[in-house]
Amino acid sequence: MRIVRDWIIVLGVGLGMVGCAGGPQLIPVTDPTERLEFEGFSILPPQGDSWFVVPSAPIIFPDVLVQFFKKSTLQSGPRQPLATLSLGAGPGPEGSSAERLYKLGVEYSNQPDTSRFRRISFNISPDRTLALDCMRFDWTAEARNNPRYPGSIFIMDQHGFVCLHPDLPHHSIEISYGQRRLQEELPLSLEAEGEPFVNSLLYNRKPDHASP
């Protein structure tokens, strides 16, 4: 999952470049009621107007699914609210469910600061809203040194869950929403659209052994 987390941070810092000339073509979300099916789970797309699917073509990691959505109420400029979904398909933590969940919590808590990314606040704790083996996280960070906006300081925040899949060993799912804004701008309110998105996660459980 670490490589997925790093990509989320990098893409979040530079998401304003997506959809510009020469970038990946954004795909509008046309039916927010139609569930998107993945291996072992499904989600609903972000709810609300002007959401687009961001193709994951720029970077591809073997055995890792990453799906991003972008809210495009502003067609240009650095203010880019976003919702993200990622699935880490391994290798994952070893041990019991409790041990694996603890290791994920430690991994998330120990994300290092870099020259472009500095965390301001971070909280993660067990949460059974979606399933037994989940943790809720909320973080805010400062991002700078964006080559497209030299001298600008951005504030990023992300809210969501990281969960262990009950039937797929070493699989963990991160589903979250957040935004990036200039430091001098007021934050956007995304809870009404973001919370239904993160709470839409459903596992596709393996059927029990059939009775003879």
Side-chain angles (χ1 to χ4, degrees), residues 13-15 17 116 143-152 154 180:
V13 172
L15 194 57
M17 300 180 186
R116 296 186 62 182
R144 58 179 71 211
N145 300 325
N146 187 320
R148 194 175 183 212
Y149 304 102
S152 296
F154 296 91
R180 186 198 70 172

Side-chain angles (χ1 to χ4, degrees), residues 91-209:
E94 301 288 342
S96 66
S97 294
E99 291 170 336
R100 292 165 59 205
L101 201 61
Y102 171 78
K103 291 175 183 178
L104 278 178
V106 170
E107 177 185 313
Y108 274 58
S109 301
N110 291 337
Q111 290 291 318
D113 292 340
T114 69
S115 62
R116 296 186 62 182
F117 181 85
R118 182 182 69 85
R119 287 195 301 192
I120 299 172
S121 65
F122 178 83
N123 293 288
I124 187 167
S125 60
D127 190 304
R128 295 186 171 186
T129 301
L130 298 184
L132 291 179
D133 297 323
C134 290
M135 301 187 82
R136 174 83 192 208
F137 64 86
D138 302 275
W139 57 257
T140 302
E142 179 185 273
R144 58 179 71 211
N145 300 325
N146 187 320
R148 194 175 183 212
Y149 304 102
S152 296
I153 298 176
F154 296 91
I155 302 298
M156 299 169 58
D157 64 69
Q158 206 76 10
H159 314 276
F161 296 90
V162 57
C163 301
L164 301 177
H165 196 287
D167 295 327
L168 300 177
H170 311 311
H171 281 58
S172 55
I173 300 169
E174 178 186 302
I175 185 167
S176 61
Y177 69 95
Q179 64 178 288
R180 186 198 70 172
R181 59 182 172 86
L182 286 169
Q183 187 179 47
E184 59 270 22
E185 291 183 330
L186 294 174
L188 300 178
S189 177
L190 293 180
E191 289 84 356
E193 295 168 285
E195 288 299 321
F197 173 70
V198 298
N199 284 284
S200 72
L201 175 66
L202 289 178
Y203 297 128
N204 299 332
R205 299 301 306 270
K206 291 181 180 180
D208 295 333
H209 294 297

Side-chain angles (χ1 to χ4, degrees), residues 11-89:
L11 187 57
V13 172
L15 194 57
M17 300 180 186
V18 176
C20 300
Q25 183 64 44
L26 300 179
I27 304 168
V29 174
T30 56
D31 186 357
T33 67
E34 182 179 357
R35 299 194 70 85
L36 304 178
E37 299 288 340
F38 302 95
E39 181 184 3
F41 71 99
S42 67
I43 63 164
L44 285 172
Q47 306 298 293
D49 299 327
S50 303
W51 284 98
F52 291 80
V53 178
V54 179
S56 56
I59 305 175
I60 298 176
F61 297 117
D63 300 323
V64 174
L65 167 68
V66 181
Q67 180 67 70
F68 288 93
F69 300 90
K70 172 185 174 184
K71 190 174 181 66
S72 189
T73 54
L74 299 178
Q75 296 300 320
S76 61
R79 191 174 181 175
Q80 299 290 350
L82 58 96
T84 61
L85 166 72
S86 64
L87 169 67

